[in-house]
Amino acid sequence: MFIFVSMQNRSIGIFDSGVGGTSIFKEIHQLLPNESLIYLADSANAPYGTKSKEDIIRLSIKNTELLIKMKCKLIVVACNTATTNAISHLRAHYHLPFIGIEPAIKPAALQSQSKSIGILATKGTLSSELFHATTNLYSQNINVVEQTGTGIVELIENGALHSPELKTLLKSYMQPMIDAQIDYLVLGCTHYPYLIPILKTILPENVTIIDSGLAVAKQTEAVLTMHNLKNNASNSPEILFYTNGKTDVITQLTEAKYPVKFLDF
Ligand code: DGL
């Protein structure tokens, strides 16, 4: 029997190097509750942030092709490292809309009173051309304290979000920013929103922490609408999580609300 699935009924595909993009999944699901979502966690290859641009592009292609095989109508690259290194390649080679995520330098630079902002991101993001271009554009006359989050993604991937080791690491990464009197901290990696409660215990109260999750969800909605791809029917959407790593970390981060399956991809 042939079952016709309209384009609007198809799923949005979301991928990340691992479990971090679940922070973006949550924003999208909250804003677009009628949409079916398929999430791919490429945890077997995490972290992407220490890999070469070529490797990040190769892994992003692999994830994209699987989501296309799964008949997704749009793909959210829920990873700053993959966006800043690979999204232009993906957009040039595949004919479906892509939404990416980049560190929110612009709002931080525009709103900073102290004219000093911090950015915590992976090596891959901080060294990318796209990141440099955005930073140069918006941070004239602003002191930008960049910090590579070495080791953070690995600890979160291993379920060690609440470990003393992670808190010690964060304290050491925040100290130069505190010394530079930042009033905005930009989280430039989708794993990092899970650090916010810990960061709040380390940073002075006047520091505002920002990430791009809600902006990505809003952009997803705008692009779906523009391409007439939005699912307006409230017909219980399907939520699927696939990981090539351990399933329990995603289960924990998503409060065991959704099925998480192992898939070797
Ligand atoms: N969540 C990815 C990001 O937003 C983590 C990168 C990594 O795997 O190193 O950059």
Side-chain angles (χ1 to χ4, degrees), residues 86-121:
I87 204 163
S88 53
H89 181 95
L90 300 176
R91 286 188 171 131
H93 288 84
Y94 300 95
H95 297 292
L96 76 170
F98 286 90
I99 309 293
I101 180 162
E102 281 181 70
I105 296 282
K106 183 180 170 184
L110 290 178
Q111 290 164 52
S112 174
Q113 298 291 314
S114 66
K115 302 288 172 217
S116 183
I117 65 172
I119 156 94
L120 184 65

Side-chain angles (χ1 to χ4, degrees), residues 175-190:
Q175 197 54 53
M177 300 198 190
I178 296 170
D179 294 344
Q181 299 186 334
I182 62 156
D183 59 356
Y184 275 83
L185 170 64
V186 179
L187 300 181
C189 170
T190 55

Side-chain angles (χ1 to χ4, degrees), residues 213-234:
L214 180 58
V216 168
K218 286 183 177 167
Q219 179 66 3
T220 303
E221 181 174 38
V223 172
L224 286 176
T225 305
M226 188 175 35
H227 292 273
N228 190 25
L229 287 173
K230 199 169 168 195
N231 189 359
N232 292 311
S234 54

Side-chain angles (χ1 to χ4, degrees), residues 126-137:
L126 293 176
S127 62
S128 68
E129 284 163 31
L130 196 55
F131 175 76
H132 284 138
T134 312
T135 310
N136 289 339
L137 196 60

Side-chain angles (χ1 to χ4, degrees), residues 3-163:
I3 301 173
F4 178 74
V5 181
S6 74
M7 281 306 278
Q8 287 85 354
N9 267 325
R10 291 186 179 192
S11 300
I12 294 174
I14 304 172
F15 79 80
D16 178 36
S17 62
V19 302
T22 55
S23 64
I24 306 302
F25 157 85
K26 288 177 190 176
E27 300 279 6
I28 294 173
H29 187 45
Q30 191 167 335
L31 190 70
L32 300 164
N34 294 339
E35 298 294 338
S36 291
L37 304 171
I38 300 177
Y39 184 98
L40 293 186
D42 193 13
S43 294
N45 292 298
Y48 281 11
T50 50
K51 293 185 164 51
S52 67
K53 185 178 171 86
E54 292 68 33
D55 280 347
I56 297 167
I57 292 176
R58 178 179 54 78
L59 293 166
S60 299
I61 289 173
K62 167 184 71 83
N63 301 331
T64 295
E65 294 197 344
L66 180 54
L67 289 171
I68 290 174
K69 225 185 251 171
M70 291 172 166
K71 304 251 176 295
C72 290
K73 60 184 176 182
L74 172 148
I75 292 178
V76 179
V77 182
C79 176
N80 292 259
T81 312
T83 300
T84 51
N85 287 278
I87 204 163
S88 53
H89 181 95
L90 300 176
R91 286 188 171 131
H93 288 84
Y94 300 95
H95 297 292
L96 76 170
F98 286 90
I99 309 293
I101 180 162
E102 281 181 70
I105 296 282
K106 183 180 170 184
L110 290 178
Q111 290 164 52
S112 174
Q113 298 291 314
S114 66
K115 302 288 172 217
S116 183
I117 65 172
I119 156 94
L120 184 65
T122 68
K123 183 165 166 268
T125 294
L126 293 176
S127 62
S128 68
E129 284 163 31
L130 196 55
F131 175 76
H132 284 138
T134 312
T135 310
N136 289 339
L137 196 60
Y138 297 112
S139 63
Q140 311 281 332
N141 309 320
I142 301 272
N143 175 36
V144 181
V145 186
E146 294 178 14
Q147 175 66 54
T148 303
T150 308
I152 299 175
V153 167
E154 290 90 328
L155 285 167
I156 296 174
E157 288 290 323
N158 286 318
L161 179 59
H162 301 291
S163 63

